Amino acid sequence: MPHILQDILIIFLASYATLDNQGITIMNYWPVTVGLFAGLIMGDLPTAMTIAGTFQLMSLGVAGLGGASVPDYGLATIVGIYLSARTGAGLGAAVAVGLPVGLLTIQLDVLIKIVNNFIAHKAQAYAHAKEFNKMRMINWLGPLFFALKNFIPMILIVTVGPSAISALLKIIRKWLTNGLTIAGSMLPVVGIGMLMHYMPLKKYIWVLMIGFVMSAYLKVPILGVAIIGLALAIYTYQNLISASKKKEAATANGADASDDDDEGDDYDE
């Protein structure tokens, strides 16, 4: 495959992958998945999957829950595979160059989410004014900015090389990166707050308190907290099933089952 065609396809892959991750998710954005496509484009699948597997292991347990901004291991994988195929660099060099690119996109991701917040409010204003054509047009800016998040670093890598990323990181003011980092740290709190709003928190506040104490004070890893949470969920589910069967048996015997209202729907609060 000609180099120019590979360059075009690898840039398209990086730009599309982040849109796919934000939308219907046909391809998904795991390093091993985008690494497969990048390896097919660059013509070296074994090396590509070795690099992708390395980044996949690095990304385990890292997820952008609640709007959090995390390192873009998908883009880091594409960059590492591209540079490995172009320069013949080994796994260490691919990771050493790809990872800083993935870290750089944390700042871009926070910035884009802030900008998209203004776009969403503007689109809402157009909707209230029944200017639906303008609403549809401005909503295209959101996906465009997310695509640019990957397009810009990738086009720099393809046209200039890895030195461009290092130079860019030196140019950016520290106060700006610190501000974006703080904003990114606040996003998970907002996301958790939104999730708690739709959960039956009044009934199960004790579960939240247990999880908080285990994580904040006992320093139990998140996997341990999740396993204990699963155990409590199974226990609660079995109790609800048992209470439901008792209620059905009492109803079948002609008893008044209306006194058992406290075992009703968790979302009746």
Side-chain angles (χ1 to χ4, degrees):
M1 186 183 297
H3 280 192
I4 184 64
L5 181 57
Q6 287 180 331
D7 292 347
I8 293 172
L9 289 177
I10 206 73
I11 293 172
F12 172 79
L13 174 64
S15 302
Y16 171 76
T18 186
L19 290 179
D20 182 73
N21 187 51
Q22 299 290 333
I24 57 178
T25 312
I26 297 174
M27 183 177 67
N28 83 48
Y29 203 27
W30 295 335
V32 290
T33 307
V34 295
L36 172 64
F37 288 99
L40 292 173
I41 292 172
M42 301 309 299
D44 188 358
L45 194 56
T47 303
M49 294 312 296
T50 301
I51 296 172
T54 302
F55 279 112
Q56 185 70 53
L57 290 173
M58 294 172 64
S59 68
L60 293 179
V62 179
L65 301 177
S69 297
V70 297
D72 194 333
Y73 290 105
L75 180 61
T77 301
I78 298 173
V79 170
I81 291 171
Y82 175 80
L83 292 175
S84 177
R86 279 287 185 268
T87 64
L91 174 63
V95 173
V97 176
L99 188 57
V101 178
L103 293 173
L104 172 63
T105 56
I106 295 178
Q107 318 301 335
L108 296 177
D109 188 65
V110 174
L111 183 61
I112 288 169
K113 286 176 179 176
I114 293 173
V115 173
N116 278 346
N117 182 59
F118 291 102
I119 294 174
H121 284 294
K122 190 64 177 177
Q124 186 179 40
Y126 283 138
H128 290 323
K130 301 187 185 303
E131 298 181 73
F132 299 116
N133 287 332
K134 291 183 178 180
M135 180 194 72
R136 283 190 288 266
M137 290 299 295
I138 198 171
N139 275 332
W140 281 105
L141 291 177
L144 175 62
F145 286 141
F146 271 109
L148 286 175
K149 182 192 72 169
N150 282 16
F151 177 83
I152 293 174
M154 201 67 222
I155 197 72
L156 290 173
I157 291 292
V158 169
T159 57
V160 182
S163 59
I165 298 298
S166 299
L168 183 61
L169 288 172
K170 292 179 181 179
I171 293 173
I172 297 176
R173 297 288 183 178
K174 189 172 181 60
W175 63 265
L176 178 59
T177 58
N178 288 344
L180 292 175
T181 300
I182 293 172
S185 300
M186 294 172 61
L187 290 175
V189 180
V190 176
I192 291 173
M194 293 173 62
L195 291 175
M196 290 169 59
H197 178 72
Y198 294 103
M199 295 173 65
L201 196 59
K202 292 181 181 179
K203 190 171 185 178
Y204 294 108
I205 186 66
W206 58 275
V207 179
L208 177 66
M209 295 171 65
I210 290 174
F212 178 78
V213 170
M214 291 175 59
S215 178
Y217 294 99
L218 302 182
K219 306 300 181 184
V220 178
I222 190 64
L223 181 59
V225 176
I227 292 173
I228 293 176
L230 176 62
L232 290 174
I234 293 173
Y235 174 77
T236 303
Y237 175 76
Q238 289 176 340
N239 281 348
L240 289 175
I241 293 296
S242 177
S244 177
K245 289 181 178 179
K246 290 180 180 179
K247 186 176 180 179
E248 290 177 359
T251 303
N253 292 332
D256 184 8
S258 61
D259 295 335
D260 208 11
D261 288 341
D262 59 330
E263 298 295 345
D265 189 356
D266 286 346
Y267 297 91
D268 59 359
E269 298 164 350

